[in-house]
Amino acid sequence: MEIDEREAGQPVRTLAYGSWPSPVDAALAAAHDGRPEDVGFVGDEVWWTAPRPAEGGRRALVRRRADGTEETVLPAPWNVRSRVMEYGGRPWTATATDAGPLVVFVHHADQRLYALRPGESDPRPLTPLSPVGGGLRWVEPQLRVERGEVWCVLEEFTGEGPSDVRRVPVAVPLDGSAAEDRAAVRELTAERHRFVTGPRLSPDGRRVAWLAWDHPRMPWDGTELIVAAVTADGVFAEPRTVAGGPEESVAQADWAADGALLHASDRTGWWNLYRDGRPLCPREEEFGGPLWKPGLTWFAPLESGLVAVVHGRGATALGILDPETGEVVDAAGPWTEFAPALAVHGDRIAAVGAGPRSGYEVIELDARTGRARVVGAAHEDAVDPAHCTEPEIRTFTGPDGREIHAHLHPPHHPGYTAPEGELPPYVIRAHGGPTSRSPLVLDLEIAYFTSRGIGVADVNYGGSTGYGRAYRERLREQWGVVDVADCAAVALALAEEGTADRARLAIRGGSAGGWTSAASLATTDVYACGTVIYPVLDLTDWAADGTHDFESRYLETLIGPYAEVPDRYAERSPTEHADGITAPFVLLQGLDDPICPPAQCERLLAKMAGRGVPHAYLTFEGEGHGFRRVETLVRALEAELALYARVFGFEAPGVAPLEMTA
């Protein structure tokens, strides 16, 4: 082995890309999977939910006490997570009392709403089980102690099919009288829409606002902002639509302290903020985003009249907006990305932020002083930061000269370099959604590859959010075309500029990214191999009750109405083009996935049998759409690396070879 010397005097060894020994193993990456979510204030304390991969993938409810210590509120096996619309949403609420906090939360295992009262050791159920279909589910609970109720959204299955479901704002009694009696749950409005968010009560208690939309629209296509009067009996009367529509997406609504109604609308092509219909800060950047889960918050009004905002273009900052001047002052700090999770208490703002050198942390911003500090889930370097690459923000040129946004993570190791003249393998990552994007934050899953000498390119292909409505609508009726072409354009550009080895390019992704990966393998010759994770593979099946209700009509915008273009569904599906797949691949699938069921994978594999293309199929009991258990995360990551080692021709010490069939 050839030895060189660094400027610092430490030896730098020469070893082939992909073979570099790395301190970032799969177990370390798995242990740091997930991020804090659902922040809120309970009295003066900041609370949030936190991932626990080593505890069966549950989400724990965590509080930060006055002395700065963190405490888990509910022990295992309590799992604070809703399954409304399968992706869930805000699953808890709490209020401070003289005797201690009163907590209401959704338990994932049975989806019942529970209350934990001061002095009680065990939570008590507030809602019943249902023998019908997917049962009764709850999201966005909000305490109404003065009424002895919890207001939330009920998702109620009325049959065995995934689309036999209704959703409505309801009031659940706090006294437990509905624990065995569905009839004791009070419905708050006769207004009927397929999808609704939790009602937001005005400061004077006289009005309420919520968002609603109907098939075939997704919430980023068009939503309605509904306002109603609250009667003395606690019923929503005379509901009326005050903003939004079929071609206007309202991402969030809330009330200012003075009773003005704030909302984020993309009527100009960008999600901007409005106060009683008046634009507050018109900019070509986003103050909202895709509403994948009820309870996401991009803004939060303060008592002073200022508004905390998560905003940006291609990345997000935490700022404070002055509605009088339209000026935004951003928080200073190392964070370059903020999640849509905000809460306020007086002049205090709680948020969740991360950066290229730090994972997501719970951050508190003082609106008076502008000082921001970490108050929970503080980032600690799992490895020496010298092993983390320096990412690059890139813009590539795609077909028809269109811009393609991407984040480049070059291979990097402080103690190793590749032989002179060798180009590194690169993995092109297609994010899920597809109406979403890849943030530029520290991700040990990426470091797992880059620290071994494998480059990673996160592609925010046409259709991604964060760049305005026109950019995300590039995917309208073009799913499987634009996303595939944009990923390929980035891969080939990296090869042409001498950044990546043209013969050692891979494609990988999960969910919608799994679709893009499979479609790329089936319709292009760009990639030497691919990793396909809980994918969509058969559009015709997926459109015919092959998935959950929330996305059951998603394809009408991504592909086109099935009744009008049925052939297009077959033309785009990887299952119909299995003969085009000639590169080795690994397929990773949870067996309890209601969004992309295993049947899709099995259909593709049946068509691959005997074709001579090496492939592996790994399934995981107890995993749904998105792996959560540490053992699953480890196995999946090591299988992916083993695939690249086999195809790209390098050694992967400590990782078992991947058994593949043809």
Side-chain angles (χ1 to χ4, degrees):
M1 180 181 293
E2 181 182 341
I3 304 292
D4 295 322
E5 294 292 326
R6 290 191 300 176
E7 289 183 6
Q10 297 297 320
V12 175
R13 295 170 173 82
T14 299
L15 198 60
Y17 284 119
S19 302
W20 301 345
S22 171
V24 185
D25 61 17
L28 186 68
H32 290 79
D33 187 71
R35 70 187 188 198
E37 294 180 336
D38 310 309
V39 293
F41 282 95
V42 182
D44 290 329
E45 295 181 354
V46 181
W47 290 32
W48 63 91
T49 64
R52 295 285 188 265
E55 298 178 23
R58 80 178 183 110
R59 288 201 72 87
L61 185 59
V62 179
R63 64 190 292 190
R64 182 185 191 271
R65 289 189 170 274
D67 61 4
T69 59
E70 294 180 18
E71 177 184 297
T72 301
V73 177
L74 299 160
W78 294 106
N79 188 353
V80 184
R81 180 176 157 220
S82 170
R83 281 189 60 187
V84 165
M85 301 183 344
E86 296 301 345
Y87 291 111
R90 189 173 181 87
W92 73 276
T93 186
T95 189
T97 72
D98 291 339
L102 167 61
V103 186
V104 174
F105 67 95
V106 179
H107 179 43
H108 181 258
D110 59 15
Q111 287 299 290
R112 299 174 85 179
L113 205 59
Y114 286 81
L116 180 64
R117 293 170 172 79
E120 294 181 338
S121 57
D122 295 313
R124 294 192 293 139
L126 298 181
T127 57
L129 295 168
S130 170
V132 180
L136 302 171
R137 301 174 179 178
W138 319 83
V139 75
E140 277 199 275
Q142 301 167 48
L143 278 165
R144 297 284 175 258
V145 177
E146 72 283 1
R147 291 182 177 272
E149 295 177 329
V150 181
W151 287 6
C152 56
V153 172
L154 164 63
E155 181 178 77
E156 181 174 26
F157 283 79
T158 58
E160 297 299 327
S163 294
D164 297 330
V165 63
R166 62 193 293 269
R167 300 174 185 87
V168 62
V170 297
V172 176
L174 268 172
D175 61 9
S177 59
E180 304 297 335
D181 182 11
R182 162 66 180 86
V185 176
R186 185 169 64 88
E187 298 193 6
L188 295 171
T189 178
E191 181 85 352
R192 288 292 176 263
H193 289 275
R194 191 72 176 189
F195 304 95
V196 294
T197 63
R200 307 293 295 181
L201 190 65
S202 64
D204 62 9
R206 298 173 60 184
R207 292 177 295 164
V208 69
W210 71 95
L211 303 182
W213 68 98
D214 295 285
H215 284 320
R217 296 191 302 276
M218 299 300 286
W220 41 85
D221 296 323
T223 54
E224 296 178 33
L225 171 53
I226 299 174
V227 173
V230 181
T231 69
D233 296 331
V235 174
F236 301 168
E238 301 177 357
R240 58 191 179 91
T241 298
V242 299
E247 299 296 327
E248 178 186 348
S249 170
V250 178
Q252 184 194 341
D254 207 345
W255 301 91
D258 63 359
L261 182 59
L262 303 174
H263 72 275
S265 165
D266 72 347
R267 69 189 63 168
T268 65
W270 298 85
W271 275 301
N272 279 190
L273 275 184
Y274 296 81
R275 174 185 162 95
D276 286 340
R278 176 178 63 86
L280 291 183
C281 182
R283 295 184 182 181
E284 288 192 349
E285 61 179 70
E286 309 283 32
F287 289 76
L291 191 65
W292 279 100
K293 302 189 294 186
L296 297 181
T297 50
W298 291 269
F299 70 86
L302 283 76
E303 294 175 1
S304 63
L306 301 174
V307 184
V309 292
V310 170
H311 71 107
R313 181 171 182 162
T316 50
L318 172 64
I320 298 176
L321 168 64
D322 185 341
E324 295 297 323
T325 65
E327 295 181 354
V328 180
V329 177
D330 289 336
W335 314 286
T336 57
E337 186 72 39
F338 284 84
L342 291 175
V344 297
H345 176 61
D347 290 311
R348 298 166 62 195
I349 301 163
V352 177
R357 291 288 185 176
S358 64
Y360 284 98
E361 307 171 294
V362 180
I363 296 154
E364 184 177 305
L365 172 63
D366 188 321
R368 295 170 303 170
T369 65
R371 178 172 176 261
R373 62 189 180 118
V374 176
V375 296
H379 172 79
E380 295 182 1
D381 290 323
V383 295
D384 185 339
H387 289 88
C388 296
T389 189
E390 196 66 40
E392 305 170 16
I393 300 173
R394 297 283 303 271
T395 301
F396 294 88
T397 301
D400 303 322
R402 63 177 181 252
E403 289 187 344
I404 307 168
H405 302 288
H407 301 144
L408 207 62
H409 304 267
H412 170 78
H413 193 296
Y416 287 87
T417 187
E420 186 176 352
E422 182 184 356
L423 293 175
Y426 255 81
V427 178
I428 306 300
R429 290 178 27 135
H431 62 70
T435 310
S436 184
R437 67 181 176 88
S438 293
L440 186 59
V441 300
L442 178 65
D443 185 339
L444 289 186
E445 188 176 278
I446 292 177
Y448 179 75
F449 294 106
T450 58
S451 60
R452 285 171 166 77
I454 303 170
V456 175
D458 261 334
V459 182
N460 283 319
Y461 48 80
S464 301
T465 55
Y467 306 97
R469 183 162 184 139
Y471 192 86
R472 73 177 187 266
E473 288 195 343
R474 287 183 187 176
L475 213 55
R476 187 177 285 268
E477 299 195 6
Q478 295 296 309
W479 196 35
V481 177
V482 166
D483 50 324
V484 169
D486 284 3
C487 286
V490 171
L492 294 174
L494 292 175
E496 185 176 348
E497 70 185 28
T499 298
D501 185 343
R502 173 66 182 87
R504 295 194 293 173
L505 298 171
I507 182 81
R508 71 91 70 186
S511 188
W515 153 272
T516 301
S517 299
S520 297
L521 293 175
T523 61
T524 78
D525 61 357
V526 173
Y527 308 101
C529 60
T531 302
V532 182
I533 310 170
Y534 38 83
V536 180
L537 296 171
D538 186 335
L539 296 180
T540 302
D541 174 75
W542 211 65
D545 276 346
T547 189
H548 62 141
D549 184 61
F550 176 54
E551 292 180 277
S552 62
R553 304 286 294 277
Y554 197 3
L555 297 182
E556 294 202 19
T557 51
L558 292 175
I559 304 296
Y562 182 77
E564 298 176 15
V565 290
D567 292 345
R568 190 182 295 166
Y569 281 62
E571 290 168 2
R572 302 269 181 89
S573 295
T575 50
E576 299 300 317
H577 298 282
D579 58 344
I581 300 177
T582 58
F585 66 92
V586 60
L587 193 54
L588 307 172
Q589 177 68 47
L591 292 178
D592 298 334
D593 190 341
I595 297 171
C596 295
Q600 295 246 329
C601 294
E602 293 159 7
R603 199 167 294 124
L604 175 67
L605 292 171
K607 294 191 175 186
M608 294 300 302
R611 289 197 49 246
V613 178
H615 61 276
Y617 182 42
L618 278 61
T619 60
F620 303 97
E621 293 277 0
E623 291 284 14
H625 200 69
F627 301 151
R628 297 175 180 272
R629 299 177 178 179
V630 67
E631 58 271 22
T632 303
L633 295 164
V634 168
R635 182 71 182 99
L637 204 52
E638 290 184 343
E640 184 175 353
L641 178 61
L643 172 70
Y644 303 149
R646 172 174 174 150
V647 175
F648 295 154
F650 59 78
E651 297 291 330
V655 175
L658 184 63
E659 294 185 11
M660 307 185 80
T661 62

